[in-house]
Amino acid sequence: MTSSHTDCHYCLQSLRGRKYALREENAYCVTCYDSLFANPCEECKQPIECDSKDLAYKGRHWHEACFKCAKCSRSLVEKPFAAKDEVLLCTECYSDEYSSKCFHCRKTIMPGSRKMEFKGSSWHESCFVCQYCRQPLGTKPLITKDNENYCVPCFEKQFAHHCYSCKKVITSGGVTYDDQPWHKECFVCAGCTTQLSGQRFISKDEYPYCVDCFSKLYAKKCAACKKPITALGGAKFISFEERQWHGECFKCAKCSVSLVGQGFLTRQDDVLCHECGSAL
């Protein structure tokens, strides 16, 4: 821009026949304007001079040539884009990086397309179908088997089992115990009838027991702490002369050193390490 303004507002150099820029009705030569007001480019960190296009987004600025996708480097000028953690991405790269992937076909579910969600996973609407009849499941009741979804009629036709306890068809929520199918609500402790689905339990004579009932009815007591010894979780225990100990309780009665895997001596009801036993 050349102008009737006489001098640069900052350096006072004559503007006659020269380009200048206006800011708040004051005229500046190009050099002064750029040094005083040019925004630094977010990408290259160089000033965006007044004869360059300044592209702004959320208080940040770019040269037109620097305004590009951080992943594929394609220009974002006049194109849709998305921001993630202050990084700009084209819609394709954003979808590849952050959009949900279809659980069935593993392809990206593009923004704006309808997706179905089930048990924390996402599907294209066209992929969320009954594995047997291939009809869309939508929001219908369904049953999952081996990571495949079935409508209820197809599942019952193909896979239905009868509960070992009540003998009725198991349509959902089944539990397998001792190679037999059970309803969750039928799989209960043989002692107190508490539901055992998702709980720890112990088997005895083909019947399941909650830990409390098994401990009361069958578990041996530790000779040291007097608490029940269960085999829950593969817990180790030591047996000697019809007495049992938890692994962590089997230690010298005098110095408390662990006797697991060590030689020991007995004195009345006490077990002792060799050193303490020899000192008596």
Side-chain angles (χ1 to χ4, degrees):
M1 181 185 295
T2 48
S3 158
S4 59
H5 285 80
T6 306
D7 301 323
C8 170
H9 184 70
Y10 185 73
C11 70
L12 304 180
Q13 297 278 329
S14 174
L15 295 176
R16 293 184 182 279
R18 299 170 62 191
K19 290 183 178 180
Y20 72 94
L22 286 174
R23 185 178 177 94
E24 296 178 356
E25 299 184 359
N26 294 315
Y28 296 84
C29 65
V30 171
T31 301
C32 288
Y33 185 90
D34 288 342
S35 65
L36 292 171
F37 307 116
N39 294 306
C41 175
E42 189 76 18
E43 178 66 20
C44 70
K45 311 306 180 186
Q46 297 300 311
I48 303 173
E49 299 172 340
C50 65
D51 57 353
S52 300
K53 184 178 284 189
D54 184 335
L55 300 179
Y57 174 71
K58 289 190 175 180
R60 296 184 293 158
H61 300 265
W62 289 263
H63 290 105
E64 186 173 16
C66 295
F67 194 62
K68 54 192 177 182
C69 173
K71 188 173 182 183
C72 71
S73 298
R74 285 184 292 186
S75 174
L76 297 177
V77 177
E78 296 183 356
K79 294 180 180 178
F81 64 90
K84 180 71 174 178
D85 299 329
E86 298 189 354
V87 174
L88 303 186
L89 298 167
C90 63
T91 53
E92 291 85 355
C93 289
Y94 183 89
S95 296
D96 289 342
E97 193 76 18
Y98 300 109
S99 291
S100 301
K101 301 293 190 296
C102 176
F103 185 83
H104 178 73
C105 69
R106 305 300 179 186
K107 294 180 181 179
T108 298
I109 302 175
M110 297 300 291
S113 62
R114 189 176 182 190
K115 71 176 180 179
M116 309 302 296
E117 295 188 346
F118 178 63
K119 290 187 175 179
S121 297
S122 301
W123 280 262
H124 292 109
E125 186 178 19
S126 58
C127 293
F128 194 59
V129 298
C130 172
Q131 179 66 17
Y132 185 71
C133 70
R134 310 307 299 174
Q135 293 300 306
L137 289 169
T139 57
K140 297 176 185 176
L142 61 92
I143 301 171
T144 301
K145 179 179 174 62
D146 299 330
N147 289 330
E148 300 289 357
N149 299 318
Y150 297 85
C151 62
V152 173
C154 286
F155 183 87
E156 291 184 358
K157 186 184 299 182
Q158 296 296 309
F159 305 110
H161 295 287
H162 290 79
C163 175
Y164 182 77
S165 176
C166 72
K167 312 305 180 187
K168 295 180 181 178
V169 171
I170 300 173
T171 58
S172 64
V175 174
T176 299
Y177 166 67
D178 199 22
D179 294 328
Q180 298 293 342
W182 305 60
H183 289 113
K184 280 186 178 181
E185 59 271 22
C186 294
F187 187 58
V188 298
C189 172
C192 66
T193 69
T194 298
Q195 284 196 24
L196 295 176
S197 177
Q199 306 298 317
R200 296 185 297 178
F201 65 91
I202 303 171
S203 300
K204 174 71 173 176
D205 299 330
E206 299 185 359
Y207 290 99
Y209 292 85
C210 67
V211 176
D212 287 343
C213 285
F214 183 86
S215 298
K216 292 175 183 176
L217 295 171
Y218 301 110
K220 297 181 182 297
K221 301 296 189 295
C222 175
C225 71
K226 310 306 180 186
K227 294 180 181 178
I229 299 174
T230 69
L232 195 63
K236 295 180 180 179
F237 69 94
I238 290 84
S239 180
F240 175 70
E241 291 185 349
E242 300 192 9
R243 290 186 294 164
Q244 288 79 32
W245 292 261
H246 294 109
E248 62 272 19
C249 294
F250 191 60
K251 52 193 176 182
C252 176
K254 187 172 182 182
C255 70
S256 298
V257 69
S258 174
L259 298 177
V260 177
Q262 308 296 319
F264 61 90
L265 302 173
T266 61
R267 177 168 177 161
Q268 296 177 351
D269 290 335
D270 294 332
V271 287
L272 303 164
C273 64
H274 278 297
E275 185 175 345
C276 291
S278 300
L280 296 176

